[in-house]
Amino acid sequence: MTAVDLGMPGLPHAPRGVGHLRGAESFPDAARGALRNGQLRANLGHATSTIRGKRANVVGELPDWEQLRAAGKALKTATMARLDEHLEELERQVTARGGVVHWARDANEANEIVTRLVQATGTSEVVKVKSMATQEIGLNEALEAAGLDVFETDLAELIVQLGEDSPSHILVPAIHKNRAEIREIFARTIPGVDPGLTDDPRQLAMAARAHLRERFLRARVAVSGANFGVAETGTLTVVESEGNGRMCLTLPETLITVMGIEKVVPTWRDLEVFLQLLPRSSTGERMNPYTSAWAGVTPGDGPQEFHLVLLDNGRTAVLADEVGREALHCIRCSACLNVCPVYERAGGHSYGSVYPGPIGAVLSPMLTGVEDNASLPYASSLCGACYDVCPVAIDIPSILVHLRGEHVEAVARDRDRPTAEAVAFRGLAKAMSHPRLWHLAQRAARLGRLVSRGRPTLPNALPPPISGWTRSRDLPTPPTKTFVQQWTEEHRS
Amino acid sequence: MKVALFATCLVDTMTPSVAHATAALLQRLGQEVVVPPAQACCGQMHVNTGYRREAVSIVANHVRAFEGAEVIVAPSGSCVASIHHQQAAVARRAGDEALAQAAEELAGRTHELSQFLVDVLGVTDVGAYYPHRVTYHPTCHSLRLLRVGDAPLQLLRAVRGLELVELPGAEQCCGFGGTFAVKNADTSTAMLTDKMANVLGTHAEVCTAGDASCLMHIGGGLSRLRAGTRTVHLAEILASTEEAVTPDQKAIPAVTA
Ligand code: SF4
């Protein structure tokens, strides 16, 4: 075990070199560029504030919302405590109903399994239902590398695919694009598209529909994710808005579903809670237009071959973290992204992972090991808006703080000499633990008065890390006396 | 009541006028104020930056400094939230159960200023006079961790002469976030810019809040822009009276160090 390995020794993280959980740049560096993109800021500001409002309205009309949240949290906690048993039950039930279950330790195994299954059907085309798990493992790239054509059928996912872009939101992958930009992508990339295409949303949707319809009708294999897998009945469910999912799940001969192991729920009844929490939190609707549920295969009706790929890819390592395991409760509603002031400004790509925003800032580093996403736990002001909206009440700020601790401690174990930051924080901790030292340290802070030479604020140009503050904000000159000092002098008896 | 004042490390060192105002206000309301001289910091900055082990001795010092205090009041939502939600957990993680229990016990007697005034003392009119146009920014930890609700607004509405203007987008974070302001300076500044735009849009003379840290960030940004709007801590507004404010004293806090 290397010094920076987190969690239980021996539990593997999501492997490097495959999938989309790691960015090329640190969050602050990526955000610096994104913050300068005025169009992105406008698109995100508009989209997130609209959806925030919709969510607040539909959540506000439910008097028992807090009870539902508590129920969702309790169900997830209980499920995680016996995850292995529920997964084995799911396997038994899926198998009993004519499906085949595959266990994938990581992204590489999952990609290999799916590629092999598709190739065995003899087809060269795959239609896909929007799925975070397959984005996470980079399945499209793996299938394409094997010479297969992959078609995303969710509208926003299609926009991202045609634009050779990457998703920036877990529900609305193209949230960073506006109508005019989408029109441009469609006009450039959809063969035979109406040259008079405008940026009217209906026209754009119809263009995508015409493009996709043909593919649905001829596709022999579909790949999907799953929102929930019900252990007691072996039922898989997909929750969606556009109906593309329903087409993919019913028309092809073969259906392959890739599901993260944390998506299992023990009983059918549990859906009562989650199917109320999810649409209100994600799209701000009372109910989503399409909820598809299927168990195994039904002769003469729908796909005649069904495969379920259960994906770990670091999840067991997350489960081993007592504080962090709560992140596995996530039902991918995206409410935390939509309320996050950091996400709203820096955008999803700054996180470098398919999971952006507050949940991504905790989930990505835990899946990869914190050393591979070390800047993400710090990409939050800890304002707590995410915790407030989360339908399963995941205490994201506390997990962020926990991961910062894990990171600092891993760095300390891994280095012979402490970082400058660690030296400073240790020194400060020592001072703050001994009143006499603390008063000396406060006196030292007053040396700032020398730098400001009688002005009310310190100069703008100061060395790092203070420069991080003074580049955009004035820093007041420290006063001559601390409060405690003056009070003590005045109240000496 | 005998109130032990926890100034917080930032106020004590950088903006002592906030602590002086808190003491003056509490005394005016008939409370006996004591200032335990061994106080330093609650440990929040260390915990939130990842130095939770180092924070244990800071928590221990805090618990020692306030041992035996009947009730503790601090002019900061963030530090009180850390005392309520982090101190015991940090001690417990380090295996110091005795410290964890002592911290929990102390947290039970520790209040943020506006909550102490409204919920414990039961006053909303503290007899203040502050003839200025003021907007109020609810800081995230007051709002979401302590749930102070409208206690600060109730207090402000009762201040004579004060014209309270609603801050658009009030519940959006100002972008301070402790070391976030430095580690993610660009994103922090982007958040600050939007907060300042909302503050300036109100044409208030003063932006107030219950946390000196967030105010140092918002005020530092406004001052850099040479904006006329200044930041003044809630305690300083509530401490102001007719006697302490002269007509040409504009938005300068009434109680200064
Ligand atoms: S963490 Fe909570 S709010 Fe965020 S996507 Fe997951 S379920 Fe939704």
Side-chain angles (χ1 to χ4, degrees):
Chain A
M1 175 179 150
T2 61
V4 283
D5 215 352
L6 283 182
M8 238 147 80
L11 288 177
H13 290 119
R16 292 180 184 154
V18 59
H20 302 285
L21 288 170
R22 296 165 174 87
E25 285 177 298
S26 74
F27 182 87
D29 287 342
R32 194 169 299 124
L35 288 166
R36 289 186 181 282
N37 184 341
Q39 188 62 63
L40 175 75
R41 299 269 300 266
N43 295 355
L44 276 174
H46 175 72
T48 55
S49 61
T50 306
I51 195 150
R52 275 203 299 271
K54 282 178 72 180
R55 178 207 162 270
N57 283 340
V58 295
V59 164
E61 65 187 25
L62 281 194
D64 62 344
W65 182 254
E66 284 310 318
Q67 286 98 303
L68 271 174
R69 267 182 105 207
K73 185 188 176 96
L75 284 172
K76 283 289 183 182
T77 307
T79 307
M80 294 305 148
R82 293 165 56 195
L83 188 59
D84 50 342
E85 294 168 34
H86 297 306
L87 286 168
E88 280 168 8
E89 178 64 9
L90 179 67
E91 179 182 35
R92 271 192 295 277
Q93 295 303 329
V94 169
T95 311
R97 285 164 176 75
V100 184
V101 176
H102 310 259
W103 297 82
R105 212 177 319 227
D106 60 26
N108 288 318
E109 281 191 14
N111 287 337
E112 277 161 31
I113 293 167
V114 178
T115 307
R116 186 164 38 76
L117 291 172
V118 176
Q119 283 170 334
T121 67
T123 184
S124 64
E125 271 188 13
V126 176
V127 286
K128 275 191 73 205
V129 189
K130 185 183 137 28
S131 125
M132 291 310 302
T134 60
Q135 287 281 2
E136 171 189 328
I137 61 177
L139 179 66
N140 291 10
E141 288 87 338
L143 293 174
E144 278 158 11
L148 299 161
D149 289 327
V150 184
F151 298 101
E152 292 289 353
T153 64
D154 170 84
L155 180 54
E157 202 74 80
L158 176 72
I159 294 164
V160 166
Q161 192 185 30
L162 292 176
E164 296 186 4
D165 199 350
S166 57
S168 71
H169 188 276
I170 59 180
L171 186 77
V172 195
I175 195 168
H176 55 291
K177 297 287 185 203
N178 66 20
R179 284 168 13 194
E181 293 165 302
I182 295 165
R183 191 208 70 85
E184 184 278 320
I185 293 170
F186 281 7
R188 181 162 50 83
T189 59
I190 295 184
V193 76
D194 175 6
L197 183 71
T198 73
D199 65 5
D200 170 49
R202 188 176 158 76
Q203 273 202 34
L204 294 173
M206 292 314 281
R209 184 184 162 100
H211 174 68
L212 290 171
R213 185 59 51 127
E214 200 188 316
R215 281 165 183 95
F216 287 131
L217 295 176
R218 71 167 189 241
R220 288 165 48 205
V221 177
V223 173
S224 84
N227 291 95
F228 307 98
V230 181
E232 72 172 351
T233 53
T235 310
L236 281 300
T237 57
V238 163
V239 172
E240 46 135 0
S241 298
E242 295 169 13
N244 64 302
R246 179 66 58 81
M247 302 270 255
C248 291
L249 298 167
T250 51
L251 292 177
E253 291 149 24
T254 302
L255 172 61
I256 304 165
T257 298
V258 182
M259 181 183 109
I261 52 171
E262 80 282 21
K263 298 278 166 237
V264 69
V265 294
T267 71
W268 183 250
R269 233 189 113 167
D270 301 334
L271 296 182
E272 175 200 340
V273 172
F274 294 117
L275 292 181
Q276 291 187 75
L277 289 170
L278 182 54
R280 288 183 195 254
S281 300
S282 58
T283 48
E285 293 169 303
R286 296 190 180 111
M287 199 179 182
N288 50 289
Y290 297 88
T291 301
S292 302
W294 69 98
V297 295
T298 309
D301 181 11
Q304 295 301 294
E305 209 185 306
F306 171 58
H307 298 272
L308 174 63
V309 181
L310 292 171
L311 175 73
D312 188 318
N313 208 35
R315 284 161 175 76
T316 307
V318 181
L319 193 63
D321 184 319
E322 268 179 57
V323 180
R325 64 170 63 129
E326 224 183 64
L328 294 178
H329 298 183
C330 173
I331 57 171
R332 307 280 188 269
C333 74
S334 76
C336 59
L337 281 65
N338 299 330
V339 294
C340 177
V342 172
Y343 175 86
E344 182 182 341
R345 288 168 183 83
H349 292 153
S350 297
Y351 294 79
S353 161
V354 289
Y355 301 113
I359 185 61
V362 294
L363 194 55
S364 311
M366 287 198 288
L367 289 173
T368 62
V370 80
E371 70 273 26
D372 280 12
N373 270 308
S375 67
L376 288 186
Y378 300 91
S380 164
S381 63
L382 305 178
C383 82
C386 48
Y387 184 17
D388 266 12
V389 295
C390 178
V392 287
I394 301 173
D395 184 357
I396 297 176
S398 291
I399 305 177
L400 287 164
V401 169
H402 165 68
L403 292 177
R404 292 175 187 186
E406 295 290 298
H407 173 238
V408 162
E409 284 156 27
V411 169
R413 277 196 301 274
D414 208 29
R415 290 172 56 114
D416 297 331
R417 282 207 272 134
T419 61
E421 184 193 272
V423 171
F425 270 87
R426 277 179 209 158
L428 193 57
K430 188 152 189 228
M432 286 171 162
S433 312
H434 301 90
R436 265 168 34 104
L437 286 180
W438 172 235
H439 295 145
L440 285 173
Q442 286 179 305
R443 206 163 295 162
R446 289 204 290 280
L447 292 176
R449 296 185 66 80
L450 298 176
V451 189
S452 69
R453 288 182 296 170
R455 293 194 192 87
T457 60
L458 296 173
N460 300 354
L462 287 171
I466 306 175
S467 58
W469 181 277
T470 53
R471 261 202 308 271
S472 59
R473 290 148 289 206
D474 285 341
L475 194 59
T477 299
T480 44
K481 268 188 191 165
T482 70
F483 166 73
V484 173
Q485 191 188 2
Q486 189 172 344
W487 179 277
T488 311
E489 282 171 17
E490 285 170 6
H491 292 77
R492 209 164 275 156
S493 46
Chain B
M1 218 181 299
K2 190 165 172 175
V3 179
L5 176 56
F6 174 41
T8 77
C9 66
L10 182 93
V11 162
D12 188 33
T13 316
M14 296 301 287
T15 57
S17 57
V18 173
H20 286 289
T22 308
L25 171 65
L26 291 170
Q27 285 173 331
R28 196 174 76 217
L29 293 173
Q31 310 302 312
E32 185 190 340
V33 176
V34 292
V35 178
Q39 62 176 282
C41 173
C42 63
Q44 177 179 210
M45 184 173 70
H46 280 77
V47 178
N48 285 356
T49 313
Y51 296 89
R52 55 189 174 195
R53 284 186 191 160
E54 288 76 3
V56 177
S57 62
I58 304 177
V59 172
N61 179 73
H62 182 82
V63 168
R64 263 196 315 273
F66 287 91
E67 202 170 20
E70 190 184 335
V71 58
I72 301 127
V73 171
S76 163
S78 197
C79 304
V80 171
S82 176
I83 290 167
H84 282 213
H85 298 288
Q86 293 184 325
Q87 284 196 340
V90 159
R92 198 157 278 139
R93 189 180 176 91
D96 195 339
E97 184 56 35
L99 178 61
Q101 282 179 15
E104 255 161 14
E105 205 254 321
L106 200 69
R109 287 179 280 134
T110 306
H111 306 272
E112 182 272 338
L113 178 63
S114 71
Q115 280 187 323
F116 179 69
L117 296 173
V118 175
D119 299 341
V120 181
L121 295 186
V123 288
T124 46
D125 185 349
V126 296
Y129 171 69
Y130 196 74
H132 302 288
R133 189 176 163 90
V134 175
T135 193
Y136 168 73
H137 165 63
T139 61
C140 299
H141 293 175
S142 303
L143 188 71
R144 302 195 184 88
L145 284 172
L146 288 183
R147 308 273 175 201
V148 303
D150 67 347
L153 290 170
Q154 288 183 42
L155 292 160
L156 287 168
R157 282 193 203 106
V159 174
R160 282 188 307 286
L162 188 147
E163 184 192 351
L164 188 63
V165 270
E166 194 182 325
L167 179 65
E171 296 191 355
Q172 279 248 344
C173 176
C174 70
F176 170 64
T179 42
F180 173 80
V182 174
K183 283 183 188 261
N184 278 286
D186 296 270
T187 307
S188 169
T189 299
M191 290 159 72
L192 171 61
T193 303
D194 293 343
K195 181 57 70 180
M196 290 194 296
N198 282 325
V199 168
L200 294 173
T202 65
H203 300 286
E205 297 163 62
V206 167
C207 171
T208 192
D211 273 283
S213 49
C214 305
L215 287 178
M216 195 164 94
H217 167 76
I218 301 171
L222 290 169
S223 146
R224 176 62 57 84
L225 295 181
R226 308 294 185 261
T229 303
R230 291 288 175 263
T231 49
V232 176
H233 193 281
L234 180 68
E236 297 177 281
I237 292 180
L238 299 180
S240 300
T241 58
E242 277 87 343
E243 291 71 43
V245 177
T246 61
D248 57 4
Q249 215 178 344
K250 285 293 176 272
I252 295 168
V255 182
T256 46

